[in-house]
Amino acid sequence: MKTQTRAVVIGGGIAGCSTLYHLTQEGWTDVVLVERDELTSGTTWHSAAQVTNFGMNQTMVGLKTHSINLYQELRDDPDYPVQYNHGDGGIRLANTEAQMDGYRHFASMARGMGVEFEVLDAAECARRHPLISTDNLLGGLWDGNDGDIDPASLCQALARRARKAGAEVYRQTDVTGLTQLKHDSWIVHTNKGDIACEVVVNACGYRVNEVGAMMGVEHPVTSMEHQYFVTDEIPGIVEAGHRMPLLRCPISDYYCRQEKNGLLLGFYEQDCKTWGMDGISPDFSNDLCPDDLDRITDVLEGAFERMPALMEVGIKNVVNGPITYTIDGAPLVGPIPGKRNAFCIIGLRAGLGEGGGHGWLLAQQIVHGEACYDTWVIDPRRFTGHATVELTALKAIEDYQNEFRFHFPNEHRPAGRFAKTTALTPVLAAEGAEFTVINGWERAEYFKPTPDFEVTHGFHFDEAFEVVAGEVAAVQNAVGLAEVNGFNRIEIAGPDAHAFLDHVICGRVTKKAGRVGLGYLLNDHGCVKAEATVANIPDGPVWYGSAAASEWHDMDWLSAHADGFDVSLRSLTNDYTILVLAGPKARDVLSAVSRADWSASAFPWLSVRRAYIGIAPAVVMSVSFSGELAYEIHVPNANLYSAYHALRGAGEAHGLRLFGARAVESMRMEKGYLHWKSDLITEFDPFETALDRFVKMDKDFVGKAALEARQAKGVGAKLVSLKVDIDTAPAHPGASLMQGGEVVGTVTSGDWGHRLGMNIAYAFVRPDLATPGTRTQIDILGQLVDAEVITPGPYDPETRLPRG
């Protein structure tokens, strides 16, 4: 066994084998995999092994497409062919118009990744799958690339190719400990000796937290028991003369695929249970949980109604094994938060179908620092300190019970709520707040007009449309107050604070005390990594502020680039909360509760100072995400209610109204302001993202050389604003822009601008279509809707209002 290697991958299931193989494909051949037992002895061996192209976003579609292409290549390898039933086709059923709208949107989104789905009516579903009934069925989504693969031969094939490229695989090798050295390399301790390496990868399936504990981390991953059974031969399958399409049914919570001349049926019962929460026996390997068919009786009855032929056949065998889940159901693939040179590929509940793509994207991150797609949707750092195993278990049960029922826009499910709250959460709830969740924080989305007010979840504008319009009007014409909790806030102190920021930000960094600036950070490929507000607090340190979801992401990036600078980084994210006071009367309200001079001359736009709001200490910034005169009031959490009470009371004389996140979203669309990981992603550089004014090529910064190389090649796409000619639905993220039957762009954000009475979208488009006045079309829920490129930020284009 080697004692020194470049990377050690721990775990011999699909996650580990795929990562090992793809590392060799990216040029790292001095790599090893260690497995405590035999390859595929964990979850992989009993997987139902379905391979679909369906995904909830473009990154997931892209990585699944890679898996399918790779598996086809392995199937056709004459030396070691893998059993892969590709192209059987698959149908996701629906019995509501809202579900059908979702399928129409997913078809539009997938088209931008070169994948074609079909939206079918009920009769066509039955024609393609002759075993199903059309009772209580509206239609479905057809995936022509759907199929299934043999788990064992797939993993052996990937390991075989990795070995041929120079990698080594050590079976029956138990990892007993992990030690990180001062220079951030690792020692992997095993029962057969130690291996020194640059990088370690946790690919340990349901044993993920046993290895996580060795490096002092707890991953938000837990396991659920999952049962399927295989039937005897079904005459209808024999008579069909072709393989049956795969079926996924959100109506009855089951799936099925052909297995020989019978069916493999898997169930997502409501009476489900977690597994392994109190530890896993070291002897549990190539093993299963006891059968419990009584638990799936309700689901089975629904399957009988959909497929009556099931009532006439027997059961050959039953499988009940653990599968892993995360808090939001998507895997954790990427850097382990707070650890250098440590990565994970875990929580792959659909590991066989997706594993080829996940290993591909992870290998790119390890070798090149970034993948070809923005991987935030699977990034382990998208969850922070609230992401415990206990919370994960609650969300895993909820996800399991809704396996084939996708989240609708603005739908926030109830399990595991109130993970992060402030003193204002119950106060705002009493005011009628409907809450959304941002990185675990409960944040007011809008304020209900009556206690029994409810919305219908779907892809069209819902009943809250007029409520949000009223909140926006209050901000535009008088004054509004909102709580923005969880905002990422990092204190940067030390003599090199500004030199450090100048190094990581691609534009000018404001150094003047009492002033605020906006900057962008690039990755080593010259593409957009982060957006930051830089505030120079008088007689104090610099505050770096960014999106709530970026808390661990940005701290990792800043820490990794602070070497050589005399700076200290300290997170204040969980110590302060922002109260946003916005509108033409905002200055009057602020002046009523603070004795400081808040006039435009004494405290102009983009200023920052310490002050008191009533008796509450605060840091106040004159910045605006709404486009109105506005103040961000950063208050220590211990004083939050005091500051809120003072502002709320003073605002009564000025018509103050509370507003929520949906009003902010509407207003930021009108102003041309961008959201991190919606419009600001690592697939595009700042020139493509219309951030030219924030880039100064006459200075050095992280990513400059790569950005110059990208400039030399020319712009590949441009971010534009669009006026959309429809008033019933927004252009949802991922929707495809079409021109002459071709995809010419992809929507990143969309919402109604209430002050302008305009449906607005942002999209990356071909550069030749980026000129204002250019007409195009967007596929919105299966309808081609006319759209026109407009100048960004049509509301108050000269930004006079925030200047007061």
Side-chain angles (χ1 to χ4, degrees), residues 10 49 51 79 84 237 278 319 364 379 387-388 406 416 435 441 534 543 563 584 593 690 698 757 768 776:
I10 308 171
V51 184
D79 296 326
Y84 177 29
I237 293 179
D278 297 320
V319 170
Q364 291 178 54
D379 195 303
T388 61
F406 49 78
F435 291 97
W441 291 97
V534 176
W543 276 12
D563 295 343
V593 298
D698 59 350
D768 60 301
T776 186

Side-chain angles (χ1 to χ4, degrees), residues 415-436:
R417 295 295 293 270
F418 305 109
K420 294 182 183 178
T421 60
T422 72
L424 293 188
T425 305
V427 176
L428 299 179
E431 295 271 14
E434 181 72 21
F435 291 97
T436 183

Side-chain angles (χ1 to χ4, degrees), residues 37 113 467 493 508 534 562 568 702 793:
D37 199 318
M113 299 300 289
V467 177
R508 296 279 180 251
V534 176
S568 64
V702 174

Side-chain angles (χ1 to χ4, degrees), residues 59-81:
T59 297
M60 294 302 290
V61 172
L63 69 86
K64 290 184 178 189
T65 298
H66 175 83
S67 294
I68 289 171
N69 292 338
L70 172 62
Y71 297 170
Q72 286 180 283
E73 180 186 336
L74 295 174
R75 177 199 61 190
D76 298 334
D77 185 341
D79 296 326
Y80 194 91

Side-chain angles (χ1 to χ4, degrees), residues 27 83 86 173 231 240 359 377 462 502 534 623 662 672 690 729 801:
Q83 176 59 41
H86 169 259
T173 304
T231 73
V377 295
D462 60 29
D502 195 55
V534 176
V623 294
R662 284 177 68 170
L801 294 174

